[in-house]
Amino acid sequence: MDRFSSPYSPNTDADRKKMLDAIGVKSVDDLFKVIPAQYRNPKLNIPEPTAEMDLKRELEAMANANAVPGKFACFLGGGAYRHHIPSVVKAIISRGEFLTSYTPYQPEISQGTLQTAYEFQTLVCQLTGMEVANTGMYDGATALAEAALMAARLTRRDKIAVLETVSPKYLKVIQTYSQALKVNYYVVPAGQEKLDDDTACLLVQQPNFYGYMEDMAKLSERAHSQGALFVVSADPTSLGMLKSPGEYDADIVVSEGQAVGVPLSFGGPYTGFFACKEKHLRQMPGRIVGKTVDSKGRTGYVLTLQTREQHIRREKATSNICTSVALIALMSTIYMSAMGKQGMKKVAELCYHKAHYAASQIEKVPGYSLPIKGTFFREFVVKCPLPPAEINKKLLEQGIIGGLDISKQVPNGMLIAVTETNTKEEIDALAAALKKIASGVAAAKR
């Protein structure tokens, strides 16, 4: 009788023999002969089976060892933020038709999934003030890198200018994307945005990596005057109260979508927003879902444009982005739908006012200062009397997750993030804890 080797594998012995015969080998082991024998099938250091209750107790103990937002007051940002997520987000994405589906593009079976992608695109356009958007990218950093390459294709130029206030981690991703494609990038000092004649675009971040606002109208004009495109990485939460990139004539707009409906989870998965002017549509990476009617006048959703290498000739593709993070994009779609314009505005205003209250309290503490002058949104830089790594260690002992250590950019600099989830008590406790730490430093010097 033919048999299955595992309840998790549907292949029978006969199936496997047929496949091995087709590729001309006698056994599965023959496929791995190129691997030295001593490295094949190593003994794994796996504990013995244990009872479910004991295993759960052990895992809970491990989880409780983490310092997580909620249990701890959190002021850590730098690209990922703790925001309130309405319960409706989890309730809807937990439905089986969304949670278990995997790239179900066939229109006859996936109208619901295609509609959610269309709604996502619509909301991204409304938020950014742009004309078209795709169904999503991996995250904000890869979206910005794809935008840079798209600008190079559109302008047929091979240089990318990046404003120095763009996130250094985003810069690393741009470097990785561009190095194999004969596209070079260079960093432009703020206030000296003179571009080379062969520059495809100017990349900026709003608010910038340090949390402060750039003069976007001026930067847009500067890029366009040189024949370059203006590419903006915009914080989606901030767009609830700030001018949209479309209002200052941006050509391509990307965002990290984590802040709108996606929980913090050790770095991902997140989702990237990608929007542009309609005239640039054919060079947009990823996929676009359109809305139409069938021969009977019924509404239908279809994949309208897909310029990725999986669907067209590789040499004609705009990008090799493969599986998009559709479920994560759906989280953002539900969040934006549930919040609406007024809800998005309220969250943005709470972030702004709470961050400014926190800055006013910390600035009063002897030993700390705000070295960057300007308007900030949700984050601001604090210069500390000690290396931020030491301060963060002491803050953790008091139940507080401190800010991001940016000492490489600002000596003893800490990037503090405040969102609507931070209470006045938490902010006051942070200021008090920083004061206590500074007092200890002063006492040690005496």
Short mmCIF file of all heavy atoms in Angstrom, two decimals, residues 265-321:
data_model
loop_
_atom_site.label_atom_id
_atom_site.label_comp_id
_atom_site.label_asym_id
_atom_site.label_seq_id
_atom_site.Cartn_x
_atom_site.Cartn_y
_atom_site.Cartn_z
N SER A 265 6.34 44.81 16.23
CA SER A 265 6.57 43.37 16.39
C SER A 265 8.02 43.02 16.02
O SER A 265 8.27 42.34 15.05
CB SER A 265 5.60 42.57 15.52
OG SER A 265 5.64 43.01 14.18
N PHE A 266 8.95 43.56 16.78
CA PHE A 266 10.37 43.27 16.58
C PHE A 266 10.82 43.57 15.15
O PHE A 266 11.58 42.82 14.55
CB PHE A 266 10.67 41.82 16.95
CG PHE A 266 10.47 41.55 18.42
CD1 PHE A 266 9.28 41.02 18.88
CD2 PHE A 266 11.47 41.85 19.34
CE1 PHE A 266 9.09 40.78 20.24
CE2 PHE A 266 11.29 41.62 20.69
CZ PHE A 266 10.11 41.09 21.15
N GLY A 267 10.29 44.64 14.55
CA GLY A 267 10.78 45.08 13.25
C GLY A 267 9.95 44.69 12.05
O GLY A 267 10.31 45.02 10.92
N GLY A 268 8.86 44.04 12.21
CA GLY A 268 8.02 43.75 11.05
C GLY A 268 7.22 42.48 11.24
O GLY A 268 7.29 41.87 12.30
N PRO A 269 6.42 42.12 10.21
CA PRO A 269 6.34 42.76 8.89
C PRO A 269 5.56 44.07 8.94
O PRO A 269 4.63 44.21 9.71
CB PRO A 269 5.60 41.72 8.05
CG PRO A 269 4.72 41.01 9.05
CD PRO A 269 5.53 40.97 10.32
N TYR A 270 5.99 45.01 8.09
CA TYR A 270 5.31 46.28 7.95
C TYR A 270 4.78 46.40 6.52
O TYR A 270 4.75 45.42 5.79
CB TYR A 270 6.27 47.43 8.28
CG TYR A 270 6.71 47.46 9.72
CD1 TYR A 270 7.89 48.10 10.09
CD2 TYR A 270 5.95 46.87 10.73
CE1 TYR A 270 8.30 48.14 11.42
CE2 TYR A 270 6.36 46.91 12.05
CZ TYR A 270 7.53 47.55 12.41
OH TYR A 270 7.93 47.59 13.71
N THR A 271 4.38 47.61 6.14
CA THR A 271 3.89 47.79 4.78
C THR A 271 4.33 49.16 4.27
O THR A 271 4.46 50.10 5.05
CB THR A 271 2.35 47.67 4.73
OG1 THR A 271 1.91 47.73 3.38
CG2 THR A 271 1.67 48.78 5.51
N GLY A 272 4.56 49.26 2.98
CA GLY A 272 4.98 50.52 2.38
C GLY A 272 3.89 51.11 1.51
O GLY A 272 3.22 50.39 0.77
N PHE A 273 3.69 52.44 1.62
CA PHE A 273 2.78 53.14 0.72
C PHE A 273 3.59 53.65 -0.46
O PHE A 273 4.74 54.06 -0.29
CB PHE A 273 2.13 54.36 1.42
CG PHE A 273 1.23 54.03 2.57
CD1 PHE A 273 1.00 52.72 2.99
CD2 PHE A 273 0.59 55.04 3.28
CE1 PHE A 273 0.17 52.43 4.06
CE2 PHE A 273 -0.25 54.77 4.35
CZ PHE A 273 -0.46 53.47 4.74
N PHE A 274 2.98 53.65 -1.64
CA PHE A 274 3.68 54.16 -2.83
C PHE A 274 2.66 54.83 -3.73
O PHE A 274 1.72 54.20 -4.21
CB PHE A 274 4.35 52.99 -3.58
CG PHE A 274 5.41 53.42 -4.55
CD1 PHE A 274 6.75 53.13 -4.31
CD2 PHE A 274 5.09 54.10 -5.71
CE1 PHE A 274 7.74 53.53 -5.20
CE2 PHE A 274 6.07 54.50 -6.60
CZ PHE A 274 7.40 54.22 -6.35
N ALA A 275 2.84 56.14 -3.97
CA ALA A 275 1.92 56.90 -4.81
C ALA A 275 2.71 57.85 -5.71
O ALA A 275 3.86 58.19 -5.41
CB ALA A 275 0.95 57.70 -3.93
N CYS A 276 2.08 58.27 -6.81
CA CYS A 276 2.78 59.19 -7.72
C CYS A 276 1.78 59.93 -8.58
O CYS A 276 0.57 59.71 -8.50
CB CYS A 276 3.77 58.42 -8.60
SG CYS A 276 2.99 57.33 -9.82
N LYS A 277 2.32 60.83 -9.42
CA LYS A 277 1.48 61.50 -10.41
C LYS A 277 1.08 60.48 -11.48
O LYS A 277 1.86 59.59 -11.81
CB LYS A 277 2.24 62.66 -11.04
CG LYS A 277 2.54 63.80 -10.07
CD LYS A 277 3.33 64.90 -10.77
CE LYS A 277 3.59 66.08 -9.84
NZ LYS A 277 4.48 67.10 -10.46
N GLU A 278 -0.10 60.67 -12.07
CA GLU A 278 -0.61 59.71 -13.03
C GLU A 278 0.31 59.57 -14.25
O GLU A 278 0.44 58.49 -14.82
CB GLU A 278 -2.02 60.10 -13.48
CG GLU A 278 -2.67 59.04 -14.36
CD GLU A 278 -4.10 59.38 -14.70
OE1 GLU A 278 -4.58 60.45 -14.28
OE2 GLU A 278 -4.75 58.57 -15.40
N LYS A 279 0.97 60.65 -14.65
CA LYS A 279 1.81 60.60 -15.84
C LYS A 279 3.02 59.68 -15.65
O LYS A 279 3.66 59.29 -16.62
CB LYS A 279 2.27 62.00 -16.24
CG LYS A 279 3.16 62.69 -15.21
CD LYS A 279 3.52 64.10 -15.71
CE LYS A 279 4.41 64.83 -14.71
NZ LYS A 279 4.73 66.20 -15.15
N HIS A 280 3.32 59.32 -14.39
CA HIS A 280 4.44 58.42 -14.12
C HIS A 280 3.98 56.97 -13.92
O HIS A 280 4.79 56.09 -13.58
CB HIS A 280 5.18 58.86 -12.86
CG HIS A 280 5.71 60.26 -12.93
ND1 HIS A 280 6.26 60.80 -14.07
CD2 HIS A 280 5.76 61.25 -11.98
CE1 HIS A 280 6.63 62.06 -13.84
NE2 HIS A 280 6.32 62.35 -12.59
N LEU A 281 2.71 56.73 -14.13
CA LEU A 281 2.09 55.44 -13.77
C LEU A 281 2.83 54.22 -14.31
O LEU A 281 3.05 53.24 -13.60
CB LEU A 281 0.64 55.45 -14.26
CG LEU A 281 -0.15 54.16 -14.13
CD1 LEU A 281 -0.33 53.79 -12.67
CD2 LEU A 281 -1.52 54.30 -14.79
N ARG A 282 3.24 54.25 -15.57
CA ARG A 282 3.78 53.05 -16.19
C ARG A 282 5.15 52.64 -15.68
O ARG A 282 5.64 51.57 -15.98
CB ARG A 282 3.81 53.21 -17.72
CG ARG A 282 2.42 53.18 -18.30
CD ARG A 282 2.40 52.77 -19.74
NE ARG A 282 1.05 52.49 -20.18
CZ ARG A 282 0.46 51.30 -20.10
NH1 ARG A 282 1.13 50.28 -19.61
NH2 ARG A 282 -0.77 51.13 -20.50
N GLN A 283 5.77 53.50 -14.91
CA GLN A 283 7.05 53.12 -14.31
C GLN A 283 6.90 52.79 -12.82
O GLN A 283 7.89 52.59 -12.13
CB GLN A 283 8.07 54.26 -14.49
CG GLN A 283 8.58 54.39 -15.91
CD GLN A 283 9.33 53.14 -16.38
OE1 GLN A 283 9.98 52.44 -15.59
NE2 GLN A 283 9.23 52.84 -17.67
N MET A 284 5.67 52.73 -12.36
CA MET A 284 5.44 52.43 -10.94
C MET A 284 5.67 50.94 -10.68
O MET A 284 5.19 50.10 -11.44
CB MET A 284 4.00 52.81 -10.56
CG MET A 284 3.65 52.49 -9.11
SD MET A 284 1.93 52.92 -8.72
CE MET A 284 2.13 54.62 -8.23
N PRO A 285 6.40 50.58 -9.63
CA PRO A 285 6.61 49.16 -9.32
C PRO A 285 5.37 48.53 -8.70
O PRO A 285 4.45 49.23 -8.27
CB PRO A 285 7.76 49.20 -8.31
CG PRO A 285 7.58 50.51 -7.62
CD PRO A 285 7.07 51.47 -8.68
N GLY A 286 5.35 47.21 -8.66
CA GLY A 286 4.26 46.50 -7.98
C GLY A 286 3.03 46.35 -8.85
O GLY A 286 3.11 46.23 -10.06
N ARG A 287 1.87 46.38 -8.19
CA ARG A 287 0.61 46.12 -8.87
C ARG A 287 -0.40 47.23 -8.59
O ARG A 287 -0.35 47.87 -7.54
CB ARG A 287 -0.02 44.81 -8.38
CG ARG A 287 0.92 43.66 -8.22
CD ARG A 287 0.19 42.46 -7.66
NE ARG A 287 1.11 41.41 -7.30
CZ ARG A 287 1.66 41.26 -6.10
NH1 ARG A 287 1.36 42.11 -5.16
NH2 ARG A 287 2.48 40.27 -5.87
N ILE A 288 -1.32 47.39 -9.52
CA ILE A 288 -2.42 48.35 -9.33
C ILE A 288 -3.74 47.63 -9.63
O ILE A 288 -3.86 46.97 -10.66
CB ILE A 288 -2.27 49.56 -10.24
CG1 ILE A 288 -0.99 50.32 -9.88
CG2 ILE A 288 -3.47 50.48 -10.13
CD1 ILE A 288 -0.67 51.44 -10.83
N VAL A 289 -4.69 47.77 -8.73
CA VAL A 289 -6.01 47.18 -8.91
C VAL A 289 -6.97 48.27 -9.39
O VAL A 289 -7.00 49.38 -8.82
CB VAL A 289 -6.53 46.55 -7.60
CG1 VAL A 289 -7.97 46.10 -7.75
CG2 VAL A 289 -5.64 45.39 -7.20
N GLY A 290 -7.74 47.98 -10.42
CA GLY A 290 -8.70 48.93 -10.94
C GLY A 290 -10.14 48.48 -10.67
O GLY A 290 -10.39 47.31 -10.36
N LYS A 291 -11.06 49.43 -10.77
CA LYS A 291 -12.49 49.16 -10.57
C LYS A 291 -13.21 49.33 -11.90
O LYS A 291 -12.96 50.30 -12.62
CB LYS A 291 -13.05 50.13 -9.53
CG LYS A 291 -14.51 49.93 -9.19
CD LYS A 291 -14.92 50.97 -8.14
CE LYS A 291 -16.39 50.84 -7.77
NZ LYS A 291 -16.80 51.88 -6.80
N THR A 292 -14.09 48.39 -12.23
CA THR A 292 -14.79 48.47 -13.51
C THR A 292 -16.18 47.85 -13.37
O THR A 292 -16.63 47.59 -12.25
CB THR A 292 -13.96 47.72 -14.59
OG1 THR A 292 -14.59 47.90 -15.85
CG2 THR A 292 -13.87 46.23 -14.29
N VAL A 293 -16.85 47.65 -14.48
CA VAL A 293 -18.14 46.94 -14.49
C VAL A 293 -18.08 45.85 -15.55
O VAL A 293 -17.37 45.97 -16.55
CB VAL A 293 -19.32 47.89 -14.79
CG1 VAL A 293 -19.53 48.86 -13.64
CG2 VAL A 293 -19.09 48.64 -16.10
N ASP A 294 -18.82 44.76 -15.31
CA ASP A 294 -18.84 43.68 -16.30
C ASP A 294 -19.94 43.94 -17.33
O ASP A 294 -20.58 45.01 -17.33
CB ASP A 294 -19.00 42.32 -15.62
CG ASP A 294 -20.34 42.15 -14.92
OD1 ASP A 294 -21.23 43.02 -15.11
OD2 ASP A 294 -20.51 41.17 -14.18
N SER A 295 -20.18 42.96 -18.22
CA SER A 295 -21.13 43.15 -19.31
C SER A 295 -22.56 43.36 -18.81
O SER A 295 -23.42 43.85 -19.54
CB SER A 295 -21.08 41.94 -20.25
OG SER A 295 -21.41 40.76 -19.52
N LYS A 296 -22.80 42.98 -17.55
CA LYS A 296 -24.13 43.16 -16.97
C LYS A 296 -24.21 44.38 -16.06
O LYS A 296 -25.18 44.57 -15.32
CB LYS A 296 -24.54 41.91 -16.19
CG LYS A 296 -24.66 40.67 -17.08
CD LYS A 296 -25.04 39.46 -16.28
CE LYS A 296 -25.13 38.22 -17.20
NZ LYS A 296 -25.43 36.99 -16.45
N GLY A 297 -23.15 45.18 -16.08
CA GLY A 297 -23.15 46.40 -15.28
C GLY A 297 -22.79 46.20 -13.83
O GLY A 297 -22.94 47.13 -13.02
N ARG A 298 -22.32 45.01 -13.46
CA ARG A 298 -21.96 44.74 -12.07
C ARG A 298 -20.54 45.22 -11.79
O ARG A 298 -19.66 45.05 -12.62
CB ARG A 298 -22.08 43.25 -11.76
CG ARG A 298 -23.50 42.72 -11.88
CD ARG A 298 -23.54 41.22 -11.73
NE ARG A 298 -22.75 40.55 -12.75
CZ ARG A 298 -22.76 39.23 -12.95
NH1 ARG A 298 -23.51 38.46 -12.21
NH2 ARG A 298 -22.01 38.70 -13.90
N THR A 299 -20.33 45.78 -10.59
CA THR A 299 -18.99 46.27 -10.22
C THR A 299 -18.03 45.11 -10.08
O THR A 299 -18.35 44.07 -9.51
CB THR A 299 -19.07 47.04 -8.88
OG1 THR A 299 -19.92 48.17 -9.06
CG2 THR A 299 -17.69 47.51 -8.44
N GLY A 300 -16.82 45.28 -10.62
CA GLY A 300 -15.79 44.27 -10.48
C GLY A 300 -14.44 44.92 -10.28
O GLY A 300 -14.24 46.11 -10.60
N TYR A 301 -13.50 44.16 -9.71
CA TYR A 301 -12.15 44.67 -9.45
C TYR A 301 -11.16 43.79 -10.19
O TYR A 301 -11.27 42.56 -10.17
CB TYR A 301 -11.87 44.69 -7.95
CG TYR A 301 -12.81 45.59 -7.20
CD1 TYR A 301 -14.02 45.10 -6.70
CD2 TYR A 301 -12.53 46.94 -7.05
CE1 TYR A 301 -14.91 45.94 -6.04
CE2 TYR A 301 -13.42 47.79 -6.39
CZ TYR A 301 -14.61 47.28 -5.89
OH TYR A 301 -15.49 48.12 -5.26
N VAL A 302 -10.16 44.40 -10.82
CA VAL A 302 -9.22 43.65 -11.66
C VAL A 302 -7.80 44.17 -11.46
O VAL A 302 -7.59 45.34 -11.15
CB VAL A 302 -9.58 43.78 -13.15
CG1 VAL A 302 -10.90 43.10 -13.45
CG2 VAL A 302 -9.60 45.23 -13.57
N LEU A 303 -6.84 43.27 -11.63
CA LEU A 303 -5.45 43.72 -11.66
C LEU A 303 -5.25 44.46 -12.98
O LEU A 303 -5.30 43.86 -14.05
CB LEU A 303 -4.51 42.52 -11.55
CG LEU A 303 -4.20 42.03 -10.15
CD1 LEU A 303 -3.29 40.82 -10.21
CD2 LEU A 303 -3.53 43.12 -9.33
N THR A 304 -5.04 45.76 -12.88
CA THR A 304 -5.00 46.60 -14.08
C THR A 304 -3.60 46.75 -14.63
O THR A 304 -3.38 46.77 -15.84
CB THR A 304 -5.57 48.00 -13.74
OG1 THR A 304 -6.88 47.82 -13.21
CG2 THR A 304 -5.62 48.88 -14.96
N LEU A 305 -2.64 46.88 -13.75
CA LEU A 305 -1.25 47.09 -14.19
C LEU A 305 -0.33 46.34 -13.23
O LEU A 305 -0.46 46.47 -12.01
CB LEU A 305 -0.91 48.58 -14.18
CG LEU A 305 0.46 48.96 -14.73
CD1 LEU A 305 0.48 48.77 -16.24
CD2 LEU A 305 0.78 50.41 -14.39
N GLN A 306 0.57 45.57 -13.78
CA GLN A 306 1.54 44.86 -12.93
C GLN A 306 2.86 44.77 -13.70
O GLN A 306 3.01 43.95 -14.59
CB GLN A 306 1.03 43.49 -12.52
CG GLN A 306 0.24 42.76 -13.57
CD GLN A 306 -0.57 41.64 -12.97
OE1 GLN A 306 -0.41 41.28 -11.82
NE2 GLN A 306 -1.43 41.05 -13.77
N THR A 307 3.76 45.65 -13.33
CA THR A 307 5.02 45.76 -14.06
C THR A 307 6.14 45.01 -13.38
O THR A 307 7.30 45.26 -13.64
CB THR A 307 5.41 47.24 -14.19
OG1 THR A 307 5.53 47.80 -12.87
CG2 THR A 307 4.39 48.01 -14.97
N ARG A 308 5.82 44.09 -12.52
CA ARG A 308 6.87 43.33 -11.82
C ARG A 308 7.31 42.15 -12.68
O ARG A 308 6.60 41.71 -13.59
CB ARG A 308 6.40 42.88 -10.45
CG ARG A 308 5.24 41.92 -10.48
CD ARG A 308 4.76 41.61 -9.09
NE ARG A 308 3.84 40.48 -9.11
CZ ARG A 308 3.82 39.52 -8.20
NH1 ARG A 308 4.68 39.55 -7.20
NH2 ARG A 308 2.96 38.56 -8.27
N GLU A 309 8.48 41.63 -12.37
CA GLU A 309 9.11 40.63 -13.22
C GLU A 309 8.35 39.31 -13.29
O GLU A 309 8.53 38.54 -14.22
CB GLU A 309 10.56 40.39 -12.79
CG GLU A 309 10.76 40.06 -11.31
CD GLU A 309 10.52 38.63 -10.99
OE1 GLU A 309 10.63 37.81 -11.92
OE2 GLU A 309 10.22 38.33 -9.82
N GLN A 310 7.47 39.05 -12.32
CA GLN A 310 6.74 37.79 -12.33
C GLN A 310 5.68 37.76 -13.43
O GLN A 310 5.25 36.69 -13.87
CB GLN A 310 6.08 37.58 -10.96
CG GLN A 310 5.53 36.17 -10.77
CD GLN A 310 5.00 35.97 -9.36
OE1 GLN A 310 5.19 36.80 -8.49
NE2 GLN A 310 4.32 34.88 -9.14
N HIS A 311 5.25 38.95 -13.89
CA HIS A 311 4.15 39.01 -14.84
C HIS A 311 4.55 39.39 -16.25
O HIS A 311 3.82 39.12 -17.19
CB HIS A 311 3.11 40.01 -14.33
CG HIS A 311 2.44 39.58 -13.06
ND1 HIS A 311 1.51 38.57 -13.03
CD2 HIS A 311 2.58 40.00 -11.79
CE1 HIS A 311 1.09 38.39 -11.78
NE2 HIS A 311 1.74 39.24 -11.01
N ILE A 312 5.68 40.07 -16.40
CA ILE A 312 6.09 40.48 -17.74
C ILE A 312 7.54 40.08 -17.95
O ILE A 312 8.18 39.55 -17.05
CB ILE A 312 5.93 42.00 -17.94
CG1 ILE A 312 6.85 42.77 -16.97
CG2 ILE A 312 4.49 42.42 -17.77
CD1 ILE A 312 6.81 44.27 -17.18
N ARG A 313 8.06 40.31 -19.15
CA ARG A 313 9.46 39.94 -19.41
C ARG A 313 10.38 40.63 -18.41
O ARG A 313 10.24 41.83 -18.15
CB ARG A 313 9.84 40.34 -20.83
CG ARG A 313 9.29 39.38 -21.89
CD ARG A 313 9.78 39.77 -23.24
NE ARG A 313 9.25 41.08 -23.64
CZ ARG A 313 9.72 41.80 -24.65
NH1 ARG A 313 10.73 41.34 -25.36
NH2 ARG A 313 9.19 42.96 -24.96
N ARG A 314 11.31 39.86 -17.88
CA ARG A 314 12.15 40.36 -16.81
C ARG A 314 12.86 41.66 -17.18
O ARG A 314 12.94 42.59 -16.38
CB ARG A 314 13.17 39.28 -16.42
CG ARG A 314 14.11 39.70 -15.31
CD ARG A 314 14.81 38.53 -14.72
NE ARG A 314 13.88 37.66 -14.01
CZ ARG A 314 14.24 36.55 -13.37
NH1 ARG A 314 15.50 36.20 -13.35
NH2 ARG A 314 13.35 35.81 -12.75
N GLU A 315 13.36 41.73 -18.42
CA GLU A 315 14.10 42.93 -18.81
C GLU A 315 13.20 44.15 -18.95
O GLU A 315 13.67 45.28 -19.00
CB GLU A 315 14.88 42.68 -20.11
CG GLU A 315 14.01 42.41 -21.33
CD GLU A 315 13.67 40.92 -21.47
OE1 GLU A 315 13.78 40.19 -20.48
OE2 GLU A 315 13.33 40.51 -22.59
N LYS A 316 11.88 43.92 -19.01
CA LYS A 316 10.94 45.04 -19.12
C LYS A 316 10.34 45.41 -17.76
O LYS A 316 9.61 46.40 -17.65
CB LYS A 316 9.79 44.66 -20.07
CG LYS A 316 10.22 44.43 -21.51
CD LYS A 316 10.59 45.75 -22.17
CE LYS A 316 10.89 45.53 -23.64
NZ LYS A 316 11.32 46.80 -24.30
N ALA A 317 10.61 44.62 -16.74
CA ALA A 317 9.99 44.84 -15.43
C ALA A 317 10.57 46.07 -14.76
O ALA A 317 11.74 46.42 -14.96
CB ALA A 317 10.19 43.61 -14.55
N THR A 318 9.75 46.74 -13.95
CA THR A 318 10.23 47.90 -13.20
C THR A 318 10.82 47.50 -11.86
O THR A 318 11.53 48.28 -11.24
CB THR A 318 9.09 48.88 -12.94
OG1 THR A 318 8.08 48.21 -12.18
CG2 THR A 318 8.48 49.38 -14.25
N SER A 319 10.49 46.31 -11.39
CA SER A 319 10.90 45.91 -10.05
C SER A 319 10.83 44.39 -9.91
O SER A 319 10.09 43.73 -10.65
CB SER A 319 9.97 46.55 -9.01
OG SER A 319 10.15 45.97 -7.74
N ASN A 320 11.57 43.86 -8.97
CA ASN A 320 11.46 42.43 -8.70
C ASN A 320 10.68 42.18 -7.42
O ASN A 320 10.75 41.10 -6.85
CB ASN A 320 12.84 41.77 -8.61
CG ASN A 320 13.63 42.25 -7.42
OD1 ASN A 320 13.21 43.20 -6.75
ND2 ASN A 320 14.76 41.64 -7.16
N ILE A 321 9.93 43.20 -6.95
CA ILE A 321 9.11 42.98 -5.75
C ILE A 321 8.16 41.83 -6.04
O ILE A 321 7.53 41.76 -7.08
CB ILE A 321 8.32 44.25 -5.34
CG1 ILE A 321 7.53 43.95 -4.06
CG2 ILE A 321 7.42 44.76 -6.44
CD1 ILE A 321 6.91 45.17 -3.42
#
